[in-house]
Amino acid sequence: MTAVTDEDQGNDSDSGTGKTDGREGGRKDGRWDDGLIARRAAAAEAREAGEPESPAPAEDDAEPQVEAYAPADGPLPPRLDALRELVGLSRARLDRDTLAEAGRVLDEAAARQRLSSRHTVIAVAGATGSGKSTLFNALAGAPISDTGLRRPTTSQPIACSWTDGAAGLLDRLAVPGRLRRRPHPGPAAFDEALQGLVLVDLPDHDSAATEHRAQVDRVLALVDAVIWVVDPEKYADAALHERYLRPLAGHAEVTFVVLNQTDRLPGEAADLVLDDLRRLLDEDGIALGEHGEPGATVMSLSALTGDGVPELREMIGRFVQDRTAATRRLSADVDAAAARLRPVYVAEGRPGLGERARDEFTDRLAEAVGSAAAGQAAEREWRRNASRACGTPWLRLWRWYENRGLPGSLDRLGQALTPPEEELTARQRVEQAVRIVADDAADGLPGPWAQAVREAAFNGARGLPEALDELAVKAGAPGASKRGGGREEGRSTVGGPPLVGAPLGGRPAKPPRPKWWPAAVLAQVSMTLLQIFGGLWLVGQIIGVLEPGLVTPALIMLAGVVGGPLVEWACAAAIRGPARRYGQDAERRLREAAAGCGRARVLDPVAAELVRYREVRERYVTVTEFSTTGR
């Protein structure tokens, strides 16, 4: 088979070089090998000479492709499924560029698994002048790829397939039909270990032609394995290590690094250079397959003299017959994609909403809605009603006078005093509570998920102040029935400026009376009647209507005067417990209403985002737990 050069490619249509489109073409020992007739002639000569026949390739490689390179029960299918689910669950939270590499890996894995499982595609890559085309020809046993001093020599990928059925794989690599070859009948072609091998000679990765480098990058992303050919002069080239070897360190199990041209090194220099090459590979993070451990294969040879080529061919044969190259390559691709995604899935610590954060959020909402003040107001209202019911008529008259709203009354003075804690508006307190709980929930999360948690919290908090007002009304907050939660006056106790000196809603609704209050009222009426009776008796004696005798009416009047306050004092002592319980109940109801509103609008959406993160985190763990590269 003849070499293919840039000049040959430009003269395919009108020259007599004998190259055909899609079949072997070239020349061997002065004879043209230009297609089916030539192959049949060669087979006939081989039979006459008693040599085994070369396996005849199909004209169009139309043999059905075999699927499932990876076994169905192996670790790769679950990892691919988990990665697919991971990408699906993350599309609404991560941008397209972040998921692009994972999507590419899934697409390429699906494409590779639809193609032949009997073939292993190995690319031969190297720098200008490294001798990769010479090594390619040595492995194929024929001068398939052009070699020479002109640079670049190889301008397009050239493929050599040992068996049929590789057309789909070569189509995926975009190798033109005219550059697809078969090894010439000989030891290399009939090597059983190489059956299923597809060897691809790539352009120089450091070529001055941009399109050549682009082809190298494209094909390297698709092949099952790669043989890097380096020479004593460029084995430490930064372009090779920084652009290819270091980024592909996780693909060590499908990587061969061959130091070529050892015939140019005198004495033990080849061993010294090989040791230095191993050192550089180790610095690149590439695991070396030594002492039976999985990793890259590193060896030295001379493609020109053939020294070391049989050993490489034997290693490649074992590698091909193992039938796991595609699985290893895809697994390494998944590892690389997972490593890129690690910053957006792996959190620091244990993010989430604990009971402490939830309780503190409820406390802040209760403070913003004024539940404690509402409880105190309810307790005061209970005591006030008890005093009104059980107090003396004279004390009632005095309190009625106070409650007329005259300037300087005690109630007005109490309302004019603004507690220091009311300097912050209720809306600001709600916003602060939401911000704190969002920060607590997002603490330690990767950036995109932390942002999603904060957005869920802030979106739910948009109508929270108004909702707290409405729930305060339904929960029987103080003054809610009278003021409608502050809305009838055009002011919102939570959504707007706070009511001065009053908790949410102002005064509480009239509390229920206990059953013993009528008895207390009757006792207070009796004491009042005694006062009136004794007073009238004394007046009658003074004006002479009744017989004189001051002791008895005085004692009766004194009993009424002293008994009234005593009854009131006893009632005040008796109402302390019920009043406190009533205030606590009012505070609890308002606190629960605020907590329920905050939970529905803020905590539940935040918890949903955290559950979504935990789901994708579990998928990510599934993607990485069966890693074969340790990344």
Side-chain angles (χ1 to χ4, degrees):
M1 302 180 188
T2 190
V4 179
T5 66
D6 293 335
E7 297 173 359
D8 293 333
Q9 295 165 13
N11 299 326
D12 276 346
S13 59
D14 56 359
S15 67
T17 59
K19 290 195 292 290
T20 63
D21 51 349
R23 301 176 176 88
E24 292 103 332
R27 157 175 217 123
K28 179 73 173 176
D29 298 333
R31 297 172 298 173
W32 288 108
D33 182 3
D34 58 355
L36 180 61
I37 297 176
R39 291 198 298 274
R40 290 177 176 174
E45 292 179 2
R47 285 195 300 269
E48 293 176 359
E51 298 177 359
E53 295 186 18
S54 174
E59 292 186 0
D60 55 358
D61 279 323
E63 182 175 329
Q65 302 298 309
V66 183
E67 293 187 8
Y69 213 121
D73 57 348
L76 182 59
R79 297 183 69 198
L80 291 174
D81 293 340
L83 182 60
R84 190 174 295 104
E85 294 177 4
L86 181 67
V87 172
L89 290 172
S90 305
R91 291 192 186 280
R93 299 294 179 267
L94 304 179
D95 58 84
R96 182 178 300 177
D97 293 339
T98 302
L99 299 174
E101 178 62 18
R104 186 197 68 80
V105 169
L106 289 172
D107 292 342
E108 296 302 339
R112 180 62 183 94
Q113 289 183 320
R114 285 193 299 266
L115 298 173
S116 174
S117 64
R118 299 182 299 107
H119 291 80
T120 300
V121 183
I122 302 179
V124 181
T128 304
S130 61
K132 59 180 178 57
S133 295
T134 304
L135 178 60
F136 178 85
N137 293 335
L139 293 174
I144 297 176
S145 184
D146 192 16
T147 60
L149 297 177
R150 184 173 63 88
R151 300 286 183 260
T153 303
T154 306
S155 59
Q156 285 186 303
I158 302 173
C160 180
S161 176
W162 265 251
T163 54
D164 301 333
L169 293 170
L170 296 178
D171 290 340
R172 180 168 173 254
L173 300 180
V175 177
R178 58 189 174 82
L179 298 181
R180 302 180 186 183
R181 302 288 187 266
R182 292 290 296 276
H184 191 75
F190 301 116
D191 191 343
E192 289 295 333
L194 298 181
Q195 301 306 304
L197 172 63
V198 179
L199 202 61
V200 181
D201 186 20
L202 297 181
D204 302 332
H205 70 77
D206 60 349
S207 173
T210 306
E211 60 273 15
H212 292 183
R213 299 196 300 270
Q215 288 190 57
V216 172
D217 296 342
R218 176 183 59 80
V219 175
L220 286 178
L222 302 177
V223 296
D224 300 330
V226 59
I227 300 175
W228 288 101
V229 182
V230 298
D231 61 82
E233 294 179 356
K234 294 184 178 181
Y235 74 93
D237 185 17
L240 171 64
H241 289 268
E242 295 178 4
R243 186 176 180 183
Y244 294 104
L245 295 179
R246 197 167 299 162
L248 295 176
H251 295 70
E253 293 186 23
V254 292
T255 300
F256 295 79
V257 182
V258 175
L259 175 63
N260 192 20
Q261 302 178 6
T262 55
D263 56 297
R264 297 169 50 193
L265 298 174
E268 299 179 353
D271 294 334
L272 296 177
V273 173
L274 190 62
D275 290 341
D276 193 47
L277 175 59
R278 289 194 177 98
R279 178 187 63 81
L280 293 174
L281 295 176
D282 184 67
E283 292 178 356
D284 291 334
I286 298 177
L288 303 182
E290 299 176 343
H291 310 295
E293 297 179 356
T297 299
V298 184
M299 63 178 298
S300 60
L301 54 77
S302 174
L304 186 62
T305 64
D307 183 25
V309 174
E311 289 80 1
L312 176 61
R313 184 182 290 112
E314 182 181 355
M315 292 180 183
I316 294 175
R318 291 196 301 268
F319 185 78
V320 170
Q321 293 306 312
D322 194 33
R323 296 285 194 264
T324 59
T327 302
R328 296 182 188 180
R329 170 59 196 259
L330 294 177
S331 183
D333 287 344
V334 172
D335 290 340
R340 289 190 178 186
L341 293 174
R342 181 179 177 82
V344 298
Y345 288 119
V346 178
E348 300 175 0
R350 298 178 62 86
L353 274 179
E355 290 299 323
R356 180 177 179 181
R358 292 175 179 270
D359 292 343
E360 290 178 353
F361 178 66
T362 300
D363 292 341
R364 292 187 179 94
L365 287 187
E367 182 182 1
V369 83
S371 63
Q376 295 171 4
E379 182 178 350
R380 287 195 302 268
E381 189 69 12
W382 178 282
R383 289 173 180 246
R384 186 181 296 112
N385 289 340
S387 299
R388 288 172 181 170
C390 304
T392 63
W394 328 117
L395 186 59
R396 292 185 186 181
L397 274 174
W398 171 251
R399 286 172 177 165
W400 171 82
Y401 174 76
E402 276 189 331
N403 292 333
R404 289 173 59 191
L406 297 177
S409 67
L410 294 178
D411 280 0
R412 291 292 178 178
L413 287 175
Q415 291 182 8
L417 297 176
T418 303
E421 60 269 16
E422 290 298 331
E423 293 179 1
L424 266 178
T425 68
R427 177 178 289 275
Q428 288 176 329
R429 291 182 180 183
V430 172
E431 293 175 351
Q432 183 183 34
V434 172
R435 183 170 58 255
I436 291 175
V437 75
D439 290 341
D440 289 342
D443 184 34
L445 283 176
W449 301 100
Q451 180 65 23
V453 166
R454 292 190 177 94
E455 288 179 357
F458 296 148
N459 290 338
R462 286 177 181 173
L464 183 58
E466 293 75 11
L468 288 175
D469 269 346
E470 296 175 1
L471 286 178
V473 174
K474 295 178 182 179
S481 60
K482 297 180 180 180
R483 298 195 180 195
R487 295 182 182 279
E488 292 182 7
E489 297 182 354
R491 301 174 66 191
S492 172
T493 57
V494 178
L499 295 175
V500 177
L504 180 66
R507 291 173 180 260
K510 191 173 183 179
R513 296 186 178 188
K515 295 180 179 180
W516 55 265
W517 275 19
V521 171
L522 180 61
Q524 196 62 264
V525 170
S526 300
M527 295 300 104
T528 303
L529 290 178
L530 287 177
Q531 295 178 44
I532 295 174
F533 179 74
L536 291 176
W537 193 344
L538 288 174
V539 171
Q541 290 181 350
I542 293 173
I543 64 177
V545 176
L546 298 175
E547 295 181 0
L550 297 175
V551 176
T552 300
L555 289 177
I556 293 174
M557 185 176 178
L558 181 62
V561 171
V562 174
L566 286 176
V567 170
E568 184 175 0
W569 176 83
C571 291
I575 66 174
R576 288 179 183 175
R580 185 179 299 109
R581 288 193 295 272
Y582 179 74
Q584 291 173 348
D585 184 63
E587 178 181 356
R588 176 187 56 78
R589 284 187 284 109
L590 189 53
R591 179 186 177 89
E592 289 178 354
C597 185
R599 181 172 57 253
R601 289 178 171 267
V602 177
L603 295 184
D604 287 350
V606 168
E609 287 297 331
L610 292 174
V611 168
R612 180 186 289 269
Y613 169 72
R614 283 193 289 270
E615 288 179 356
V616 299
R617 184 72 173 85
E618 290 173 359
R619 301 301 189 281
Y620 182 78
V621 170
T622 303
V623 171
T624 57
E625 66 181 345
F626 294 112
S627 172
T628 60
T629 64
R631 299 180 67 180

